[in-house]
């Protein structure tokens, strides 16, 4: 089910493919123990009308944000995951080698939903858990 406070609904894919992106700023807690990897767990799903789903994936990227606002290389090597038809979790790992307590991260989630049957299909990001 969707998150209780808010959730993200992507564009309707109707006989086409839609790519939607959400970005989240996150600060690692002061008690983070370096160099532990961090798991990003996203609860998501797609909602199918009478159409036929084609591609349905979610990819994640995480970037350290420097004091000047620039970002470094993507710290997630986990491949794009399949978005389930019923709400479910997909997980991505942020490599901990360059992480430190209070490090600022920019997390970017990219969902691709394709309809191949002439009906609306929506992707939902229900919640994001980082830990």
């Amino acid at each position: 089910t969707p998150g209780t406070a808010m959730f993200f609904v992507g564009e309707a894919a109707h006989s086409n493919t839609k790519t939607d992106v959400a970005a989240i700023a996150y600060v690692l807690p002061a008690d983070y123990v370096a160099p532990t990897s961090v798991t990003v767990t996203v609860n998501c799903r797609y909602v199918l009308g009478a159409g036929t789903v084609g591609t349905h994936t979610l990819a994640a990227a995480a970037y350290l944000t420097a004091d000047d606002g620039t970002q470094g290389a993507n710290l997630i090597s986990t491949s794009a995951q399949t978005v389930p038809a019923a709400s479910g979790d997909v997980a991505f790992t942020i490599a901990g080698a360059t992480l430190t307590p209070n490090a600022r991260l920019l997390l970017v989630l990219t969902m691709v939903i394709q309809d191949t049957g002439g009906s609306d299909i929506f992707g939902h990001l229900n919640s994001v858990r980082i830990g």
Side-chain angles (χ1 to χ4, degrees), residues 89-106:
D89 290 340
V90 296
F92 303 92
T93 301
I94 300 174
T98 59
L99 300 179
T100 59
N102 300 310
R104 293 181 298 153
L105 295 170
L106 177 65

Side-chain angles (χ1 to χ4, degrees), residues 12-108:
H14 185 92
S15 297
N16 59 23
T17 302
K18 296 294 183 179
T19 301
D20 292 298
V21 179
I24 302 162
Y26 180 75
V27 177
L28 287 172
D31 63 354
Y32 164 76
V33 178
T36 307
S37 294
V38 176
T39 301
V40 177
T41 304
V42 182
N43 186 275
C44 58
R45 69 180 182 144
Y46 67 86
V47 177
L48 177 65
T52 303
V53 70
T55 301
H56 49 291
T57 60
L58 180 67
Y63 306 96
L64 277 175
T65 302
D67 290 341
D68 66 0
T70 59
Q71 281 88 30
N74 180 11
L75 301 176
I76 293 179
S77 61
T78 310
S79 299
Q81 303 290 309
T82 300
V83 174
S87 292
D89 290 340
V90 296
F92 303 92
T93 301
I94 300 174
T98 59
L99 300 179
T100 59
N102 300 310
R104 293 181 298 153
L105 295 170
L106 177 65
L107 178 64
V108 179

